[in-house]
Amino acid sequence: MTQRWKLTIEYDGRPFVGWQRQDNGLSVQGCLEEAVRRFSGEAATVHAAGRTDAGVHALAMVASLDLEKQCRPDTVRDALNHHLRPHPVSVLSAEPMAEDFHARFSCRGRSYLYRIVNRRAPLALEAGRAWQVSVPLDAEAMQEAAQRLVGRHDFTSFRASLCQAKDPVKTLDRLDVERVGEEIRVTTAARSFLHHQVRNMVGTLKLVGEGKWAADAVTAALEARDRAKAGPTAPADGLYFTGAWY
Amino acid sequence: MTQRWKLTIEYDGRPFVGWQRQDNGLSVQGCLEEAVRRFSGEAATVHAAGRTDAGVHALAMVASLDLEKQCRPDTVRDALNHHLRPHPVSVLSAEPMAEDFHARFSCRGRSYLYRIVNRRAPLALEAGRAWQVSVPLDAEAMQEAAQRLVGRHDFTSFRASLCQAKDPVKTLDRLDVERVGEEIRVTTAARSFLHHQVRNMVGTLKLVGEGKWAADAVTAALEARDRAKAGPTAPADGLYFTGAWY
């Protein structure tokens, strides 16, 4: 009898072409599916709540898969972790679920963290894990401007040109900017996001932080519904998928 | 005219044989001295407040060196960082000092952080940057036992057999254990430490955390003045040099 499983997964995005299996390199999905194959001999497909891009990390990605093999939850977690070595992917938990659970289609909300290290010196310990910005950023101004993006809007200006979503209208539940020492943390949540939406919002808020843009310019960029009118895409390094809820 | 400089340095210890220049591989000191040579042409020796072992990290190592070349502090920092690429070593600041300043011999105190991630799943994002301990640890019991080591003691039981210090008597100013979510943070400070002292104290406190040892066993290990009577050496991965004061 098939059992559906919910996995919560941590990964370092640096060595991967992204979540999704691709022909051109190592993917998180591919590593997980290979670990499943080694563990149970099954050719399962692993579905994720968010298909993160190359270099994007996860503290708690949620994924689902079906297994014929009967196991205790701890065994699923430990066996997958054993077969995932040496890839920087770790299964934090495995939970048996009802058969209608689907990590992507059942998902009611997703959250991300974006980390900026705001200092002149390059990153040694956090290289590839945060965006280093040398120019001093005003986090309070960024926080004020961020509120212009919260709510239901057409996010065409913050959407990658390759974005495949049918509808650019999304409801942004939260976009908060907070300074913690030399680090600026951007926390965001929504039912779903457009491709590159978080990185494009962060790249735009950085313009506000360095004083190049006022909050009104963010509103104008949003209303323009034109990708060219918003700021550049922030690098993948600082982005972490932090949670999905159901 | 020679100028003495104080550098504050961050590094990821993973690719290095340690702070100290050695014949058998890449050292932090060697990378810095090579960056100085490329920047100014000078064969300067860089002295550090602490000579960390292979795999040990630094958030704020302090080092000193002499430069003939006349420069502004920001130029020294930026030029060294330019020439340090691609090594994970970053000069956070450079400050001109009086000629009697010496990062090692003038140092009046040093501090370290040791990070334990207390969970079953292996580390993906923090691999090499923390000690993953699967068995649940009681941080309060560790904190209580740690206080047995604070003060002036003969730390022979916590000293590497290769330790070159003349006197095993040291004054430990602080040893605090705190749980923050799944992480246990051990913070310690002293005028100076013996070789492996922090890692040996952490390895011993881990025995207390998992319930194998009571606090009295830590006192007994200390009083035995015998390395074989204390716990094992915790891995380098979790150790960070966090500061030096003068």
Side-chain angles (χ1 to χ4, degrees):
Chain A
M1 202 194 79
T2 297
Q3 174 66 57
R4 184 148 298 178
W5 291 89
K6 175 187 179 186
L7 306 179
T8 303
I9 303 159
E10 176 185 283
Y11 53 85
D12 180 335
R14 279 177 289 182
F16 299 109
V17 295
W19 166 269
Q20 203 158 16
R21 216 183 319 108
Q22 290 172 45
D23 293 335
N24 62 337
L26 199 67
S27 65
V28 181
Q29 183 187 23
C31 285
L32 280 159
E33 290 175 354
E34 176 62 17
V36 170
R37 196 191 59 73
R38 290 191 204 174
F39 159 52
S40 75
E42 297 170 62
T45 299
V46 180
H47 299 279
R51 288 165 297 172
T52 53
D53 282 320
V56 175
H57 317 291
L59 294 170
M61 178 57 75
V62 176
S64 54
L65 83 158
D66 290 337
L67 280 182
E68 298 287 338
K69 188 178 174 109
Q70 302 293 309
C71 293
R72 291 175 50 235
D74 287 359
T75 306
V76 172
R77 180 197 61 202
D78 294 347
L80 290 178
N81 283 331
H82 174 74
H83 291 293
L84 279 164
R85 285 182 204 160
H87 303 300
V89 180
S90 178
V91 178
L92 304 180
S93 68
E95 300 161 68
M97 302 296 280
E99 64 181 12
D100 64 347
F101 175 78
H102 190 286
R104 182 174 171 205
F105 298 120
S106 314
C107 185
R108 295 195 303 115
R110 286 137 174 119
S111 60
Y112 286 91
L113 165 69
Y114 196 99
R115 297 177 58 208
I116 297 172
V117 175
N118 191 201
R119 72 180 196 194
R120 177 78 184 162
L123 305 180
L125 272 159
E126 299 296 324
R129 298 157 40 108
W131 183 20
Q132 181 244 330
V133 173
S134 294
V135 55
L137 298 177
D138 179 342
E140 287 180 28
M142 292 168 74
Q143 167 66 5
E144 190 198 326
Q147 304 323 304
R148 307 294 184 98
L149 300 175
V150 173
R152 183 175 163 85
H153 303 289
D154 180 331
F155 281 98
T156 296
S157 299
F158 297 91
R159 170 191 199 176
S161 54
L162 293 170
C163 179
Q164 291 166 16
K166 283 180 199 125
D167 188 354
V169 176
K170 295 282 176 190
T171 300
L172 188 66
D173 296 321
R174 183 183 175 193
L175 183 62
D176 284 319
V177 184
E178 182 191 22
R179 177 178 282 278
V180 182
E182 69 179 12
E183 188 168 327
I184 290 174
R185 301 178 149 244
V186 183
T187 319
T188 188
R191 182 175 180 89
S192 64
F193 290 90
L194 297 164
H195 192 205
H196 282 182
Q197 185 182 344
V198 179
R199 290 163 60 187
N200 291 339
M201 294 192 301
V202 170
T204 302
L205 291 176
K206 185 250 193 184
L207 296 173
V208 175
E210 62 184 315
K212 285 187 179 168
W213 278 33
D216 285 345
V218 175
T219 302
L222 178 67
E223 291 173 351
R225 298 178 197 184
D226 176 356
R227 176 71 195 93
K229 293 294 194 292
T233 308
D237 310 50
L239 188 58
Y240 295 73
F241 188 97
T242 53
W245 53 98
Y246 294 90
Chain B
M1 202 194 80
T2 297
Q3 174 65 56
R4 183 148 299 179
W5 292 90
K6 175 188 179 186
L7 306 180
T8 304
I9 302 159
E10 176 184 283
Y11 53 85
D12 180 336
R14 279 176 288 181
F16 300 109
V17 295
W19 167 269
Q20 204 158 16
R21 217 183 321 105
Q22 291 172 44
D23 293 334
N24 62 338
L26 198 68
S27 66
V28 182
Q29 183 186 24
C31 285
L32 279 159
E33 290 175 356
E34 175 62 17
V36 170
R37 195 192 58 72
R38 290 192 204 175
F39 159 54
S40 76
E42 296 170 62
T45 298
V46 181
H47 300 278
R51 288 166 296 173
T52 53
D53 283 320
V56 175
H57 317 290
L59 293 171
M61 177 56 76
V62 176
S64 55
L65 83 158
D66 290 338
L67 279 181
E68 298 287 340
K69 187 178 174 109
Q70 302 294 308
C71 293
R72 292 176 48 233
D74 287 359
T75 305
V76 173
R77 179 197 61 201
D78 295 346
L80 290 179
N81 283 332
H82 175 75
H83 291 292
L84 279 164
R85 284 180 205 164
H87 304 300
V89 180
S90 179
V91 178
L92 305 179
S93 68
E95 300 161 68
M97 303 296 282
E99 64 183 10
D100 64 348
F101 174 80
H102 190 287
R104 183 175 170 202
F105 299 120
S106 314
C107 186
R108 296 194 303 116
R110 286 136 173 120
S111 60
Y112 285 91
L113 165 69
Y114 196 98
R115 297 176 58 208
I116 298 172
V117 175
N118 191 202
R119 72 179 195 193
R120 177 78 183 162
L123 305 179
L125 273 158
E126 299 296 324
R129 298 157 41 109
W131 183 20
Q132 181 244 329
V133 173
S134 295
V135 56
L137 298 177
D138 179 342
E140 285 179 30
M142 293 168 74
Q143 167 65 5
E144 190 198 324
Q147 304 324 303
R148 307 294 184 98
L149 300 175
V150 172
R152 184 175 162 85
H153 303 288
D154 180 330
F155 282 99
T156 296
S157 300
F158 298 91
R159 170 190 199 177
S161 52
L162 293 169
C163 180
Q164 291 167 14
K166 285 178 198 127
D167 189 354
V169 175
K170 296 282 175 189
T171 301
L172 189 65
D173 296 322
R174 182 184 176 192
L175 183 62
D176 285 318
V177 184
E178 182 191 21
R179 177 177 281 279
V180 183
E182 68 179 14
E183 189 169 326
I184 290 174
R185 301 179 148 243
V186 183
T187 318
T188 188
R191 183 175 179 88
S192 63
F193 292 90
L194 297 164
H195 192 205
H196 281 182
Q197 184 182 344
V198 180
R199 290 164 59 187
N200 290 340
M201 293 192 300
V202 170
T204 303
L205 292 175
K206 186 248 191 187
L207 297 173
V208 175
E210 60 185 319
K212 286 187 179 167
W213 278 33
D216 284 346
V218 175
T219 302
L222 178 67
E223 290 173 351
R225 298 180 197 182
D226 175 356
R227 177 70 194 95
K229 292 293 194 292
T233 308
D237 310 50
L239 189 58
Y240 295 74
F241 188 97
T242 53
W245 53 98
Y246 294 89

